[in-house]
Amino acid sequence: MGKGGDASIASKRTMSADPATTLAKPTKYTWSEVKKHITPEDAWVVYHDKVYDVSNWHEHPGGGVIFTHAGDDMTDIFAAFHAQGSAAMMKRFYIGDLIPESVEHKDERQRAFERGYRDLRAKLVMMGMFKSSKLYYAYKCTFNMAMWATACAMVYFSDSAVVHIASALLLGLFWQQCGWLAHDFLHHQVFKRRKYGDLVGIFWGDLMQGYSMQWWKNKHNGHHAVPNLHNSTAESQDGDPDIDTMPLLAWSLKQAQSFRELRADGSDSPFVKFMIKWQAFTYFPILLLARLSWLNESFKTAYGLGASSANAEQEMKLKGLQYPFLEKAGIALHWTWVIALSSGFGRFGPLYGLAYFLTATCSCGLFLALVFGLGHNGMATYDATTRPDFWKLQVTTTRNITGGHGFPQFFVDWLCGGLQYQVDHHLFPMMPRHNLAKTHELIESFCKEWGVKYHEADLVDGTMEVLQHLSKVSDDFIKDMIKEFPAM
């Protein structure tokens, strides 16, 4: 069928080819009918009570994220990710109207709640909260480059091992801060023209961090659309790639048991048993190594050597890289300057240089994962088939980070790069980080008004919540395993 819409209307629907007739007599669909179409090959989505067939639409500018809402209502996530006027390109995929009364899980209060948060978004637009300060981002970019230059100078001008360790840690922190800048530009918080955001994202992502821009966008857009959701089926792509961490970590009992279907006897492998049992203790060691995994996936993506997920593999096969030369050149230049710095510009021996690189890389993995791990880990998880509405999904799966336990708020604000307001960012991902604090009070007030749980914790308490959650999943896994396999 190719692109869904155009082709599928002709081949699957009994609708008139006359546009006027189509508009006059649209086909009516029930919610239960929409819910049957949940795979990329057979994907229907709903936008403002209109039904669109986007089956096989891999040419979607945002990539495979479109399929995270196959068989569901995409009204609010569409508004969160797209500029005004983007809905016009959906017209060719229109196949009919949804019968609102068939959506039995929405009562009048729920509909009023949805109207309320859409009105709040309109209010924030009128307040100018989606307009960026170019001066602010010029300052952040300059500060980041100063960190990089300082780390390089510490190696170039000093022979002290202590100074080199400090340089490696500063480089790890620089890479972490590059992540937040690339995040802002690739969320199109800074420029209205998306190409400008992509190009600056390649600078901070590919060149300075070693991360493929397209690898990151495919993964991160999917995460934003469906945070903490498990795939509805093995073939569907409606789950969160960021919690696809098995067999190393499990965020729910269902996820911990998900690998049983891969074994003929339906049991857990010895490796899975070990990792889930001790995951509260292996969590931090895994974070230390996280950047090595991201570098590997980015290199494979940029050079066409593989993909990190079925979604990404399909996107690369059908679309390829959006900026093939720039991505390859950026990754190559990244490793050029990293090898030069890690070798002490030719002065360090191989083992010393490797130690420098691993210190910087592992510290960066920890600095990055501490922040985004606190954002979602240990919060509510859902099955894709029973997800709540957009607002409740984003809020209940997300944790804000505050100052506390000796960490002042200004330090948390700098360290987290805007993601201390993770809840607010997830609700309005295209809002520049410097406006999130102003928006925070309005969002918190709205949540209280409608009785939606809004969770915040400081760096210490939040980390303890994550570890306690991992420990609880481990305990539930062991108890359930004993019940199902008492002889083991």
Side-chain angles (χ1 to χ4, degrees):
M1 288 185 294
K3 297 182 180 179
D6 292 338
S8 58
I9 289 175
S11 62
K12 293 172 62 179
R13 314 288 164 247
T14 56
M15 296 181 64
S16 170
D18 183 348
T21 306
T22 299
L23 291 174
K25 298 179 181 180
T27 303
K28 300 288 186 178
Y29 296 104
T30 63
W31 183 249
S32 61
E33 175 65 17
V34 172
K35 294 296 290 181
K36 296 176 183 177
H37 305 272
I38 61 172
T39 66
E41 295 75 24
D42 182 20
W44 289 11
V45 294
V46 175
Y47 179 72
H48 285 299
D49 290 337
K50 295 189 180 297
V51 183
Y52 300 86
D53 183 346
V54 295
S55 303
N56 287 318
W57 188 32
H58 299 285
E59 294 81 1
H60 173 239
V65 66
I66 185 80
F67 302 122
T68 61
H69 277 64
D72 215 319
D73 192 323
M74 70 167 189
T75 302
D76 297 295
I77 193 63
F78 186 94
F81 271 96
H82 295 82
Q84 292 182 346
S86 299
M89 73 181 301
M90 293 296 296
K91 290 180 180 178
R92 63 193 177 100
F93 300 105
Y94 172 73
I95 60 172
D97 290 351
L98 178 70
I99 302 173
E101 295 76 19
S102 69
V103 188
E104 298 177 354
H105 63 280
K106 290 187 181 181
D107 56 19
E108 185 51 41
R109 176 176 170 79
Q110 176 62 29
R111 296 182 188 279
F113 174 63
E114 292 179 6
R115 288 194 297 270
Y117 64 67
R118 290 167 190 171
D119 289 344
L120 175 58
R121 177 182 177 80
K123 179 180 178 180
L124 292 170
V125 171
M126 294 296 292
M127 291 171 61
M129 291 294 101
F130 290 87
K131 295 180 180 178
S132 68
S133 166
K134 305 302 186 291
L135 186 63
Y136 172 83
Y137 279 103
Y139 152 70
K140 292 300 296 182
C141 291
T142 302
F143 188 90
N144 258 35
M145 289 308 297
M147 292 175 65
W148 177 76
T150 302
C152 292
M154 292 169 75
V155 169
Y156 188 81
F157 291 108
S158 176
D159 291 322
S160 167
V162 174
V163 173
H164 296 161
I165 292 172
S167 169
L169 294 175
L170 179 60
L171 183 62
L173 200 54
F174 161 75
W175 279 331
Q176 187 237 32
Q177 291 294 307
C178 284
W180 309 150
L181 273 178
H183 172 270
D184 289 4
F185 283 103
L186 294 174
H187 264 303
H188 308 296
Q189 297 175 7
V190 185
F191 299 115
K192 289 184 178 179
R193 287 199 62 181
R194 297 197 166 209
K195 184 174 183 179
Y196 295 164
D198 287 344
L199 293 177
V200 180
I202 288 174
F203 175 83
W204 290 113
D206 295 70
L207 177 60
M208 302 314 295
Q209 259 193 309
Y211 294 167
S212 162
M213 181 270 287
Q214 191 153 325
W215 163 80
W216 183 88
K217 285 179 73 171
N218 175 280
K219 187 172 183 288
H220 194 69
N221 287 348
H223 158 69
H224 258 274
V226 286
N228 281 16
L229 253 67
H230 298 302
N231 284 323
S232 54
T233 69
E235 294 78 25
S236 61
Q237 295 179 13
D238 49 5
D240 180 1
D242 276 10
I243 64 167
D244 185 17
T245 52
M246 280 290 288
L248 302 180
L249 298 168
W251 301 103
S252 68
L253 177 59
K254 177 180 178 179
Q255 187 179 21
Q257 298 172 339
S258 62
F259 270 38
R260 290 180 179 179
E261 64 184 64
L262 303 178
R263 292 171 63 88
D265 61 357
S267 65
D268 300 296
S269 70
F271 182 75
V272 167
K273 292 176 185 176
F274 176 84
M275 293 305 300
I276 304 307
K277 179 180 180 180
W278 300 106
Q279 63 179 4
F281 299 94
T282 61
Y283 178 65
F284 280 109
I286 289 172
L287 295 189
L288 287 172
L289 300 175
R291 176 171 156 79
L292 290 172
S293 173
W294 301 328
L295 288 170
N296 176 55
E297 296 299 338
S298 293
F299 189 88
K300 290 194 301 183
T301 299
Y303 287 92
L305 302 176
S308 57
S309 67
N311 183 313
E313 182 179 7
Q314 207 165 34
E315 180 177 310
M316 290 297 295
K317 179 180 178 181
L318 295 168
K319 290 178 61 178
L321 290 171
Q322 187 177 0
Y323 303 97
F325 173 76
L326 291 178
E327 288 245 44
K328 289 180 174 66
I331 296 292
L333 290 172
H334 168 80
W335 283 107
T336 299
W337 73 255
V338 166
I339 291 172
L341 178 59
S342 298
S343 68
F345 302 101
R347 304 192 329 271
F348 298 165
L351 291 179
Y352 195 93
L354 180 63
Y356 178 92
F357 171 76
L358 289 177
T359 300
T361 295
C362 292
S363 63
C364 173
L366 183 63
F367 295 149
L368 272 172
L370 267 178
V371 175
F372 68 67
L374 286 182
H376 300 282
N377 295 346
M379 298 298 290
T381 59
Y382 298 97
D383 293 331
T385 53
T386 57
R387 73 183 80 178
D389 66 82
F390 168 78
W391 187 283
K392 291 173 185 171
L393 173 64
Q394 303 296 336
V395 174
T396 59
T397 59
T398 309
R399 177 193 292 108
N400 274 5
I401 308 173
T402 65
H405 279 90
F407 295 102
Q409 188 63 49
F410 75 86
F411 171 77
V412 172
D413 291 346
W414 179 83
L415 179 72
C416 298
L419 297 186
Q420 70 275 20
Y421 295 111
Q422 185 76 277
V423 176
D424 316 78
H425 166 65
H426 259 255
L427 292 169
F428 305 107
M430 293 177 67
M431 181 178 290
R433 74 166 89 162
H434 53 77
N435 287 334
L436 289 173
K438 303 172 189 175
T439 304
H440 175 70
E441 291 184 8
L442 290 173
I443 295 174
E444 188 174 27
S445 175
F446 182 84
C447 287
K448 288 180 179 178
E449 177 185 350
W450 287 93
V452 178
K453 183 181 178 181
Y454 191 105
H455 186 54
E456 297 181 323
D458 63 36
L459 288 167
V460 175
D461 288 340
T463 299
M464 292 304 299
E465 288 175 7
V466 173
L467 295 176
Q468 288 166 5
H469 179 82
L470 287 170
S471 181
K472 182 181 183 304
V473 172
S474 297
D475 291 343
D476 292 343
F477 174 74
I478 294 170
K479 291 175 184 176
D480 192 78
M481 185 173 62
I482 292 173
K483 288 180 182 177
E484 291 196 30
F485 306 100
M488 296 182 66

